[in-house]
Each structure stands twice: as structure tokens, then as C-alpha cells.
Amino acid sequence: MMNGRADKHRVAVIGSGNWGSVASRLIASNTAKLPAFHDEVRMWVFEETLPTGEKLSESINQAHENCKYLPGIKLGTNVIADPDLESTVKDADMLVFVTPHQFVEGICKKLVGKLRPGAEAISLIKGMEVKMEGPCMISKLIKDTLGINCCVLMGANIANEIAVEKFSEATIGYREDKQAANRWAKLFTTSYFLVAVVEDIEGVELCGTLKNVVAIAAGLVDGLDMGNNTKAAIMRIGLREMRAFSKLLFPSVRDNTFFESCGVADLITTCLGGRNRRVAEAFARNGGKRSFDELEAEMLHGQKLQGVSTAKEVYEVLTYHGWQELFPLLSTVHEICIGQLPPTSIVEYSEHTPNLSLVGGSTPCY
């Protein structure tokens, strides 16, 4: 039982982009009123100099707003931006990771030996690392590098909508430690942000990871003006491949997880309104003549596109196992992204006839 401020949980958020800022705001609204948590939320900022010459962290602390990644939204006076990673985490026992997935390993290595005893983590990061021994989920990377328990939170969570408190849901995935998962759910749950807890960390995390690849496909369809029927078909095929890929990698993944917010709901919202869909649409409208890197820089103003890098990582896994023909949509997205195929190939499966007996699902008639 907690007695006094010293025993309260202290929260640190590692990341201050669009979703990191929204997560900090959401968490801070709860730590300000829940007795189990210290009210201050420290948010690590990768320091940048704004056009005004002011440091981003200083701007956030003065205006209580992230003018670059979440303009016009007050974060709360109890959100403290800190450009020093070690300083951000030194007193915290609850760490929220919310950075682009390609930076996580480097961040974790800097934190080895710097955390409080008993610290635990949750990852809001959608992506995976591919190593020689196979794919490594971000939660496992955090757990193994830092030696701490790590849950995940995924869902139909377009950050700007949550920032203005529109109703949303999310899913927390955990392994064995339900008490820790419930503690995270308490930290995140509000009247407009409802959180469910599921004992399927790989399923929850892979849903959040793979849906960005399908969103690229949906954006290509939009950019080619193929219509709603085609987009619906791509989303359905994408969901089937997400489920099959997840269960081949981790047989413990549960079918019901795909009906949680992290599954079909996140897929729908990302294919309708996410940044991956938007940039892929522009890529298709330009006939694939402008690279995703160029469009990302122009359209996202410093935010990172996860779908293209995840498609590459998924393709590496498929190639390693010889699974490309089992996953025509996931394979084709990567091949389009690197310019090997034109955007129109997104609906051309003549070279990729899947063996659906292994993947699962009905067999179309050709």
C-alpha cells in the first residue's frame, strides 16, 4: 500500500512527437488526479531548434504546448519537457516508449544501468527490428535490453483526434503479469479513451505493426482512384495476411485479438485517415516518380512514416522463410515502395497466387 508522495508511481514518456505529445497529455490528465501516481510527467524531447531560434524543449515548457508536432493543444502544466534522456527517466518507475521504431535500440542501450529498480515499461511503438536470428518485436527488444517487463498499447488511435478528446479505444497486450497491465490501463483510461487488456502481447503488437503496411496499399488504391470496393478488398486481404503472418511467427497469437481495437479497428482507421495512407496516395498520384522519402519530408514536417520501413522488414522475414508467395499483398507493397513494381501492381496478383491452405481463408476463383 502506498503511503505518501515518495511511494507514488512516477511516469516518464520517451518521445515527444505527435503521438508522444498526445500520450503525455492523456497520461498527465490522469496523474494529476489519481492518488497512485505522482502528478509530474517528464517527457523526453529529441532537441531541435525552432525557426524562431528557440529550443523545442524550452518552448514546450514555456507554452505547455508542442508547437511543432501538436500545435494548438495544451499538454498540461504537469508535463515537463526534458532534452536529457537520463534525467527524464532517473526517478521514473513507469516508462512509456513512443518514438519511431528505428530509434528504440539506440535509446535502450543508453538507458542500460540507468533505471530505477522495479521499473516497468509499455511500448506504443508500431514496428519491428529484423535481426540475423529473425524478427524482434519492439517490446521484446525493450524487455531484453533493459531487463524489465514491457507491455504494449495499440489501437485505432489517430493522435490528433485523441488530442481533442474524441472517443477512442485501445488495447493493452501483456504476457503473464496482468497486474502490471491493469496498472497501465488505469494510467491511460479516461472517459474518452477506453482501454481493454488482452493476454496476447505478440498479437496486439503485430496488429499495430502490420496495419501500416496495409495502409500503404489502401493509399495506393486511393491514389489510383480505384474506388471503395477495391479499397475494401485490399483491407480484407490485408487483415487476412496480418493474421496469417502473426500466427506463423507466433502460434500463440489469438484470433480474438484481431477483433479488438488493435486489430480490425486500427486497420480501418489507418486505411481511412492515417499518414501512411495519405503519403501512399501522393506516391500513386505521382506515378511512383517521387520517392516515399521525398514525400515524407514534404508532407509530414518531421514526423516519420512507419509503413515503408515496416514493409521492408516484413519482406526480409518473408524472404528468409521463403513465404513471399503466401503473402502477395505484403510482398507487393514493399516491391512498389522500392520501385520494383508500379503502383498499379497493388491489385495484380497474377505472379503471386497464394497457397491459401497454409494462410487460411477462402479461395477466390480466377
Side-chain angles (χ1 to χ4, degrees), residues 239-289:
L239 182 62
R240 184 186 69 192
E241 291 193 13
M242 285 169 55
R243 172 184 168 274
F245 182 82
S246 300
K247 291 175 79 72
L248 280 176
L249 283 182
F250 300 100
S252 63
V253 167
R254 301 177 179 181
D255 286 338
N256 284 345
T257 299
F258 294 87
F259 295 97
E260 297 288 343
S261 179
C262 64
V264 65
D266 194 9
L267 178 66
I268 291 169
T269 198
T270 309
C271 288
L272 295 180
R275 71 183 73 155
N276 291 280
R277 187 218 64 82
R278 185 158 54 94
V279 177
E281 178 182 4
F283 179 84
R285 291 201 185 281
N286 283 278
K289 294 175 183 175

Side-chain angles (χ1 to χ4, degrees), residues 66-272:
N66 190 332
C67 65
K68 180 168 183 180
Y69 296 110
L70 192 65
I73 301 293
K74 295 298 181 183
L75 301 182
T77 57
N78 57 330
V79 175
I80 308 300
D82 191 338
D84 186 307
L85 182 60
E86 289 185 29
S87 170
T88 301
V89 306
K90 66 183 176 67
D91 295 322
D93 63 333
M94 297 182 76
L95 309 178
V96 180
F97 284 82
V98 56
T99 66
H101 76 271
Q102 55 266 41
F103 302 140
V104 178
E105 187 168 18
I107 289 170
C108 286
K109 286 179 178 177
K110 292 177 182 176
L111 293 177
V112 172
K114 309 293 184 183
L115 303 182
R116 278 182 56 178
E120 58 189 4
I122 192 167
S123 171
L124 280 56
I125 298 165
K126 297 171 178 179
M128 67 171 75
E129 291 286 325
V130 176
K131 301 182 179 297
M132 290 297 293
E133 61 271 23
C136 177
M137 304 311 299
I138 298 300
S139 63
K140 187 175 189 301
L141 191 156
I142 294 169
K143 174 179 176 289
D144 291 351
T145 306
L146 297 175
I148 61 177
N149 182 58
C150 185
C151 297
V152 299
L153 182 145
M154 306 283 156
N157 303 148
I158 291 179
N160 288 339
E161 295 182 12
I162 299 169
V164 294
E165 302 185 3
K166 293 183 178 179
F167 176 74
S168 302
E169 296 179 311
T171 312
I172 286 177
Y174 73 96
R175 180 185 292 104
E176 297 176 356
D177 193 345
K178 188 173 184 178
Q179 187 176 359
N182 286 336
R183 190 158 48 244
W184 286 114
K186 185 176 182 180
L187 180 66
F188 278 92
T189 298
T190 69
S191 60
Y192 62 89
F193 193 77
L194 300 188
V195 179
V197 171
V198 175
E199 191 176 5
D200 183 10
I201 191 167
E202 288 89 3
V204 173
E205 193 166 8
L206 276 165
C207 280
T209 296
L210 297 172
K211 58 93 185 189
N212 283 328
V213 183
V214 183
I216 295 285
L220 295 171
V221 167
D222 287 343
L224 295 166
D225 294 318
M226 288 182 169
N228 291 328
N229 291 344
T230 304
K231 189 171 181 178
I234 289 295
M235 291 166 66
R236 186 197 69 79
I237 293 166
L239 182 62
R240 184 186 69 192
E241 291 193 13
M242 285 169 55
R243 172 184 168 274
F245 182 82
S246 300
K247 291 175 79 72
L248 280 176
L249 283 182
F250 300 100
S252 63
V253 167
R254 301 177 179 181
D255 286 338
N256 284 345
T257 299
F258 294 87
F259 295 97
E260 297 288 343
S261 179
C262 64
V264 65
D266 194 9
L267 178 66
I268 291 169
T269 198
T270 309
C271 288
L272 295 180

